[in-house]
């Protein structure tokens, strides 16, 4: 098992890390969907069929979305705690009374925070970090756009997005 990466150079002239090189996680092959995950799970010595597993996973996804939209966090032990996060505009409001959701909130997004033995430190210990060979083309770069295609953001190493997400280069 490996965590793959590609190197990239910070090309933001306003950044203190301008010109420096960093690693960006990449995934190989295509993204596994619920149907393929159910098939994979059914092949792991279980009495449950792919269809039964897919039904449970589909219902779970719907329930997690519903609960998050009710303001709740959902913990899947050993994997992640799912909750809603808010990205606010960088300039913010000058006072509490001036704050407006329309003017000062950019978006609401899903957060997934590792839990149990799936924490950042445990992944770092267990992960076999490997650079993808230059000629390897079947991969997708880590992105901040919810997995909808690939994106090459302008990195600002060491920065954070309102304390909710680590900046690139962390």
């Amino acid at each position: 098992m490996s965590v793959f990466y590609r190197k990239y150079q910070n090309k933001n002239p306003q950044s203190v890390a301008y010109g420096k090189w960093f690693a960006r996680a990449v995934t190989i092959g295509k993204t596994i969907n619920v149907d393929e995950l159910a098939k994979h799970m059914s092949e792991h010595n279980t009495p449950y069929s792919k269809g039964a597993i897919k039904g449970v996973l589909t219902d779970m996804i719907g329930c997690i979305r519903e609960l998050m939209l009710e303001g709740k966090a959902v913990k899947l032990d050993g994997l992640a705690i799912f909750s809603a996060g808010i990205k606010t505009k960088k300039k913010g409001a000058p006072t509490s009374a001036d704050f407006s959701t329309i003017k000062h909130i950019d978006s609401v997004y899903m957060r997934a925070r590792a839990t149990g033995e799936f924490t950042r430190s445990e992944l770092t210990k267990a992960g076999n970090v490997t650079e993808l060979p230059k000629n390897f083309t079947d991969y997708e770069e880590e992105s901040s756009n919810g997995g909808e295609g690939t994106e090459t953001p302008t990195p600002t190493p060491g920065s954070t997005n309102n304390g909710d997400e680590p900046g690139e280069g962390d």
Side-chain angles (χ1 to χ4, degrees), residues 26 89 100 120 137 163:
V26 297
K89 297 198 186 291
S100 158
R120 182 182 289 205
T137 59

Side-chain angles (χ1 to χ4, degrees), residues 1-4 126-130:
M1 292 187 274
S2 288
V3 175
F4 295 101
N128 178 18
V129 181
T130 306

Side-chain angles (χ1 to χ4, degrees), residues 112-128:
R113 295 168 285 157
T115 185
E117 292 185 20
F118 206 63
T119 63
R120 182 182 289 205
S121 62
E122 289 301 316
L123 283 170
T124 301
K125 284 183 211 172
N128 178 18

Side-chain angles (χ1 to χ4, degrees), residues 30 67 103 113:
K30 68 181 192 106
L67 292 166
K103 291 180 187 175
R113 295 168 285 157

